[in-house]
Amino acid sequence: MRYSVYLFFVAAFLFCACSSQRAGRIDNANQISMITISRTPCFGTCPVYTMQIDKNCVVTLDAVDHLPNKMKGWYKANLPEKEWMVLVNKLEKMNFKDMQDNYGRQITDLPSVNTAITFADGNAKKINDYGARGTQELSELYTYIDALLGSLDWESTDQK
């Protein structure tokens, strides 16, 4: 009997811990209202674009040059909600808010990646990464964003 009561309390504790952790992730997702990634040009064939993803999973893309399928102009797509949560979790795991504002190399002709997170309270965190190799976590984020760029079902728009 004592053993059963003990197991009940352990199970209840684990259930509450998991559900509060899940609730924390949902709260963090609601705190971010916009994610913006912008890649700048180099003297070669670096992709040049600005992509914005809002909390409603609407993605807008200003495709400038060197993108898949020779995309140029304005595009719109819908991001699956699970991908939004993956992005939010990546940003949370890397502690994006507390990262440096600038990363860079002492080499010329490298493209930059500018990342901005706008929060629901109106505050924003921006990182300029000259050379796109600020940290391992940032590099993984850029790879993930580039993969999203290639996998979304883009619709051409006249938006500016």
Side-chain angles (χ1 to χ4, degrees), residues 27-153:
D27 287 345
N28 289 336
N30 291 332
Q31 290 178 7
I32 296 176
S33 61
M34 178 84 66
I35 300 170
T36 304
I37 302 280
S38 181
R39 286 190 173 267
T40 66
C42 64
F43 289 118
T45 58
C46 303
V48 182
Y49 65 85
T50 299
M51 183 166 47
Q52 291 186 321
I53 308 168
D54 72 19
K55 67 181 178 181
N56 298 317
C57 297
V58 175
V59 186
T60 57
L61 174 68
D62 178 9
V64 178
D65 211 359
H66 307 296
L67 271 78
N69 300 326
K70 306 220 184 266
M71 294 170 59
K72 283 192 180 186
W74 287 90
Y75 295 86
K76 191 175 191 178
N78 292 313
L79 182 72
E81 188 174 343
K82 70 176 185 168
E83 297 299 340
W84 171 258
M85 292 307 297
V86 168
L87 277 170
V88 168
N89 288 333
K90 282 182 179 295
L91 294 167
E92 178 184 303
K93 184 178 177 183
M94 68 182 7
N95 206 8
F96 189 86
K97 275 185 174 180
D98 296 328
M99 295 180 81
Q100 297 178 58
D101 293 337
N102 294 294
Y103 294 91
R105 309 240 183 257
Q106 299 300 321
I107 304 170
T108 59
D109 187 34
L110 293 178
S112 290
V113 179
N114 298 302
T115 308
I117 306 302
T118 306
F119 299 95
D121 64 5
N123 288 321
K125 169 65 177 182
K126 299 177 182 179
I127 295 177
N128 172 270
D129 185 359
Y130 179 72
R133 292 194 181 108
T135 67
Q136 179 66 32
E137 292 89 1
L138 284 172
S139 293
E140 290 171 8
L141 177 67
Y142 307 150
T143 300
Y144 185 78
I145 293 289
D146 287 342
L148 278 179
L149 185 116
S151 69
L152 293 175
D153 187 21

